[in-house]
Amino acid sequence: MRNQLQTRNQKSLIKDQSLFLNIFWVGFIIFQIAGTLETPGNLNIKILQAFQGLGLILIFTSVIKLKLFKIENTYLRVIFTIYMIWLVIVIARGIEFPPSYDFIKTTLITGGGNDGLVYIAPLIILFPRNAIFYKKLFEVIIFFGVIYLMLDVMFIKNLLHSGEDKLSLGIVEALSGLSIPVAFILLTYLYHSNKKNLLAIGIILITLLFAIIRARRGLIIITSSVIIFSFLLYFFHSKRKIITIYLVILITVLGILYASNIYNINNSKIFSLLVERGTEDTRTGVELYFYDDMKEIDWIIGRGMGGEYYCPDITGDQITNYRNLIETGYLQIILKGGIISLGLLLLMIIPAFIKGIFFSKNLLSTAAGIWILVFMISSYPAIQTWFSLNYFLVWISIGVCFSKKIRNMTDDEIKFELQSAKKI
């Protein structure tokens, strides 16, 4: 009788967990897509922001109801707790008293350099680390990928616009927030069907193509990195290594011949903007202003959530001489939370990717380690700390890599767990 009661309670908890996870992801999908559609500017901004508000209500409601898990690893639990306390201080230093409507909207919805949600994003590490959560995560990633393709079709004229057009650049960057997470499907290809893997390959290659056309060098580095790491994972796990090697060599040789004998890259409309901006230095001036304006105490503790730095004459349409964003990701972290914030973050992500890549028995943990490594690599050419699925995956990956239980599971065990979760 007691065993039956325990089984019923367990099933009830699992159903509740699944329900609240569904609400969370629905809210996040609404929030993310509405925020993405704000960039083109051809839809009513107020309506989109209302949808973002609805998404936030669903997110916060589900998190309150969802039973958060304790971090088992003592080291991670201590550093993470200190890190979150420090982020609360960073937020507190940027809060406006009394908070106005514009301040609340900027902090929770319009984001940018004053994005307050980015400081609560790490809490996703406390979400259940089980097959139900990962199954839903994979489904959301695929859904974002499909939406990305649909929006590509919708804004294809902007994406293929010749010359350096700010709207086109903004659309490419905004849409990449939906497509980049799809790379996690490639890194965990063993757990997905061939159709999903092929879809993921197509989405990442399209993202890379548009990044090249619009000369988004940071985005090129990110997409290229995940493509290379995905290939390496496939190579080391594949039983058809010889065929893979020959295929790569063949494609490389054909690509070189095509580029050298048929394709004149300097005259190409596709690559012309990239070639033009290839040696252009758009960072040094901004970084020098940043270094000049930051005092010693600012380097240590940052300037808080609303922190800005003096940076005149960088863009022709800037409203003031102060900016709350710097495109170098590591400097953005320092601007807001100082070296303390960056140091605490590194104390978590460095051991995490080492554990995931070198001390795991399955592809999920290895992929998580690689995702963290790509985050570290791409945090120089671009800001990676956004309230986004990409950033969520960093913290989810940290949780995976620090979990000895998950790292010691075999791929067959993970496949079985994911298959079982589909029945719930």
Side-chain angles (χ1 to χ4, degrees), residues 212-233:
I212 293 172
I213 292 174
R214 304 313 313 160
R216 296 291 83 194
R217 291 173 292 185
L219 188 55
I220 291 172
I221 291 174
I222 296 170
T223 50
S224 300
S225 297
V226 293
I227 289 172
I228 292 170
F229 281 123
S230 298
F231 167 75
L232 291 175
L233 281 181

Side-chain angles (χ1 to χ4, degrees), residues 21-221:
L21 284 174
N22 285 339
I23 295 173
F24 173 84
W25 286 121
V26 168
F28 180 74
I29 287 170
I30 293 172
F31 180 87
Q32 185 79 12
I33 293 177
T36 301
L37 291 175
E38 284 186 19
T39 301
N42 54 356
L43 297 175
N44 190 296
I45 298 297
K46 291 185 177 180
I47 293 177
L48 292 176
Q49 290 178 352
F51 273 108
Q52 285 185 285
L54 172 62
L56 286 179
I57 291 173
L58 294 176
I59 289 172
F60 289 136
T61 301
S62 62
V63 170
I64 292 172
K65 296 288 185 179
L66 188 65
K67 181 180 178 182
L68 300 180
F69 280 51
K70 181 181 178 181
I71 298 175
E72 298 90 352
N73 185 280
T74 304
Y75 171 84
L76 178 61
R77 184 168 64 249
V78 172
I79 301 298
F80 181 77
T81 302
I82 297 173
Y83 181 67
M84 292 308 300
I85 292 173
W86 179 250
L87 290 186
V88 170
I89 296 173
V90 172
I91 294 172
R93 293 177 63 207
I95 291 180
E96 178 184 292
F97 290 104
S100 64
Y101 170 76
D102 288 337
F103 172 79
I104 294 173
K105 186 176 74 170
T106 301
T107 304
L108 297 180
I109 295 179
T110 57
N114 295 328
D115 186 0
L117 295 175
V118 71
Y119 301 106
I120 64 173
L123 291 176
I124 199 168
I125 199 176
L126 302 177
F127 278 35
R129 285 182 291 279
N130 55 32
I132 297 174
F133 175 73
Y134 297 120
K135 179 184 75 71
K136 294 183 185 298
L137 173 65
F138 290 142
E139 290 173 350
V140 171
I141 292 173
I142 291 296
F143 181 79
F144 271 175
V146 173
I147 295 298
Y148 169 77
L149 293 177
M150 294 171 62
L151 293 179
D152 277 348
V153 175
M154 184 181 301
F155 300 112
I156 190 65
K157 289 184 179 179
N158 296 101
L159 294 172
L160 296 177
H161 187 274
S162 60
E164 190 168 352
D165 175 66
K166 285 191 175 181
L167 177 60
S168 300
L169 301 180
I171 292 175
V172 170
E173 295 282 0
L175 294 185
S176 68
L178 303 177
S179 63
I180 289 298
V182 179
F184 200 74
I185 299 295
L186 289 182
L187 294 173
T188 57
Y189 72 93
L190 276 178
Y191 313 127
H192 312 295
S193 65
N194 290 334
K195 289 182 179 179
K196 289 182 179 179
N197 286 325
L198 288 174
L199 176 65
I201 292 172
I203 291 170
I204 294 302
L205 289 178
I206 291 172
T207 303
L208 177 60
L209 175 62
F210 286 133
I212 293 172
I213 292 174
R214 304 313 313 160
R216 296 291 83 194
R217 291 173 292 185
L219 188 55
I220 291 172
I221 291 174

